[in-house]
Amino acid sequence: MLRLPLSATALSLIIAVAPASALEAGKSVDLPCPFGDCRAGMALAYLGEFSIPTGEMVDGIEFGGISGLDFDASTGRYIAISDDRSEKGPARFYELAIDADATGIRGVTVAKTVVLKDKNGEAFAAKTVDPESLRISAEGLLWSSEGDAKAGIAPFVRLASRDGAFLREFKLPEGFAPTADKTSGIRNNNAFESMALLPSGDLLVALEAALYQDGPAATLLSGSLARIIRNDVKSGEPTAQYVYPVSPIPQAPAKENGWNDNGLPEMLALDDHRLLAVERGFAEDFGSSIKLFMADLDGATDVSSIPSLASTDKHVVPLRKSELLDLRAVGLIPDNIEALTFAKGTDGTDLLILASDNNFNASQKTQFYAFRVLKRP
């Protein structure tokens, strides 16, 4: 059922969803002793799925492209960023209300659309920005753009006010800007996909796959070395870099020479050194493979002084990681999951919410998964 708009900026999207799945609501999954540390155990209980079909309109613009999600504890609502490159409408984020509690997830309400502004206070021109991740901080809204390597547009991280206005931009470390000859810099569509705000206040910003100078993107036989930049939020200065080891592509395409990939589309802080990371694999004519990992910064090498991971002779220790949940393996059929956040349910229940980017594709959907957090570091 679709409820009609209550106002120009409030649209309730209520759709009955009854997916066939082996993981029934209430069933739990757990990682009792990641890295052999039983004090760092994590457990989740599945609460259900809620989806919005592609094509729904909000404020006269097609809703979708949800690539980042964060919970605002001060309001009980969520902020979701769209990765529309100012083509279907101005680059924007949404304020959402998600009706979820210990008994399940029942609906999503789009309460507000907010346009992101460039440095001149204007909406971004088409194809000049690619919003991907968003986190709420005491300073304001932190958000990333993946840039466009083909067009020579560098990725960035910026701080915006709640009304979308530009406040300041973070410094981009050397080696990340795209190059025409592909000898260094970001790969197209594999740049600043994910961000995690640590309790200490530092911001981690991660690539989806390796910089050209650091090695290849993931294949069926090998993984990829994705850099994570640690930033001081108050100054916008990078303070360290680490390596996240993206896994090999988990699924071959159904046809020979079909498209497939695997990358790091989002991560979330568990504490000041542990992260919850999403790896998103895709295989043509198969779909998405989504896995959640616990990753740990402790002991990881600061590689900010290493120009090329592929050619260095220095000893490098990447983040440790341990698999928590494979959504396909438990019977779910995930879409293109690119967003996740911890949250409080309407009854105060501790939740983990995952959301998908539908790519504005009629064969996909904006999908929300809800889990109850039973245990976490």
Side-chain angles (χ1 to χ4, degrees):
M1 177 178 70
L2 177 67
R3 293 182 180 175
L4 297 177
L6 301 178
S7 69
T9 58
L11 177 63
S12 294
L13 302 167
I14 309 297
I15 300 157
V17 177
S21 120
L23 186 63
E24 299 176 356
K27 296 294 183 180
S28 63
V29 293
D30 67 294
L31 183 63
C33 300
F35 320 116
D37 183 0
C38 298
R39 296 169 300 176
M42 187 165 184
L44 305 171
Y46 180 61
L47 294 177
E49 172 190 343
F50 179 86
S51 295
I52 300 168
T54 296
E56 298 297 330
M57 305 296 288
V58 175
D59 293 337
I61 301 171
E62 186 175 347
F63 177 82
I66 301 305
S67 189
L69 183 72
D70 208 11
F71 178 70
D72 186 349
S74 68
T75 64
R77 290 184 170 178
Y78 299 73
I79 303 295
I81 198 167
S82 172
D83 71 358
D84 179 12
R85 300 186 180 193
S86 279
E87 294 178 285
K88 293 185 175 294
R92 59 200 177 276
F93 63 84
Y94 299 101
E95 185 177 304
L96 305 178
I98 298 178
D99 183 8
D101 58 25
T103 64
I105 179 169
R106 289 171 292 278
V108 175
T109 300
V110 183
K112 184 190 298 183
T113 303
V114 180
V115 174
L116 288 163
K117 304 297 196 313
D118 63 17
K119 292 180 179 179
N120 298 319
E122 305 291 336
F124 284 89
K127 299 183 179 180
T128 61
V129 68
D130 184 5
E132 290 293 348
S133 188
L134 179 147
R135 294 296 172 201
I136 301 169
S137 78
E139 303 282 315
L141 299 180
L142 299 160
W143 67 284
S144 68
S145 171
E146 194 166 35
D148 186 336
K150 289 182 178 179
I153 301 174
F156 64 69
V157 174
R158 290 182 178 177
L159 180 69
S161 62
R162 286 304 185 101
D163 62 1
F166 170 83
L167 295 178
R168 54 186 169 88
E169 185 168 329
F170 284 38
K171 181 180 178 181
L172 183 69
E174 290 185 14
F176 284 79
T179 56
D181 61 5
K182 299 181 181 179
T183 55
S184 65
I186 59 169
R187 284 180 158 82
N188 195 56
N189 207 33
N190 278 285
F192 290 171
E193 280 276 349
S194 60
M195 299 198 306
L197 187 63
L198 301 179
S200 65
D202 283 355
L203 180 71
L204 302 179
V205 182
L207 299 170
E208 188 171 0
L211 296 167
Y212 278 113
Q213 67 269 32
D214 287 339
T219 69
L220 289 166
L221 295 176
S222 62
S224 188
L225 302 178
R227 290 198 187 221
I228 298 175
I229 306 169
R230 187 172 191 144
N231 299 275
D232 179 88
V233 170
K234 292 187 180 297
S235 68
E237 292 286 325
T239 60
Q241 292 179 33
Y242 312 101
V243 178
Y244 180 91
V246 176
S247 302
I249 299 170
Q251 172 71 39
K255 61 182 179 182
E256 188 176 359
N257 299 321
W259 172 254
N260 60 354
D261 69 356
N262 192 45
L264 174 66
E266 193 59 286
M267 57 187 181
L268 184 63
L270 290 164
D271 54 28
D272 271 329
H273 61 95
R274 298 184 186 93
L275 305 169
L276 190 61
V278 178
E279 290 194 25
R280 183 247 348 257
F282 178 82
E284 193 172 350
D285 297 324
F286 175 82
S288 296
S289 299
I290 305 297
K291 296 182 180 181
L292 297 183
F293 291 86
M294 184 182 293
D296 198 337
L297 290 164
D298 266 8
T301 305
D302 179 359
V303 296
S304 56
S305 64
I306 300 177
S308 169
L309 297 174
S311 61
T312 186
D313 59 0
K314 295 183 178 180
H315 180 64
V316 174
V317 178
L319 273 73
R320 297 180 297 167
K321 69 178 189 179
S322 185
E323 186 175 319
L324 170 62
L325 174 64
D326 179 338
L327 270 63
R328 284 267 184 181
V330 295
L332 300 178
I333 305 176
D335 209 297
N336 180 35
I337 300 294
E338 289 198 1
L340 77 163
T341 184
F342 288 120
K344 289 288 186 181
T346 53
D347 61 350
T349 298
D350 289 321
L351 301 178
L352 175 69
I353 304 291
L354 282 63
S356 73
D357 171 6
N358 69 347
N359 293 311
F360 298 98
N361 187 320
S363 67
Q364 295 180 257
K365 57 191 175 183
T366 302
Q367 180 184 55
F368 295 86
Y369 282 124
F371 293 86
R372 184 172 185 176
V373 180
L374 304 176
K375 182 181 180 182
R376 53 161 287 189

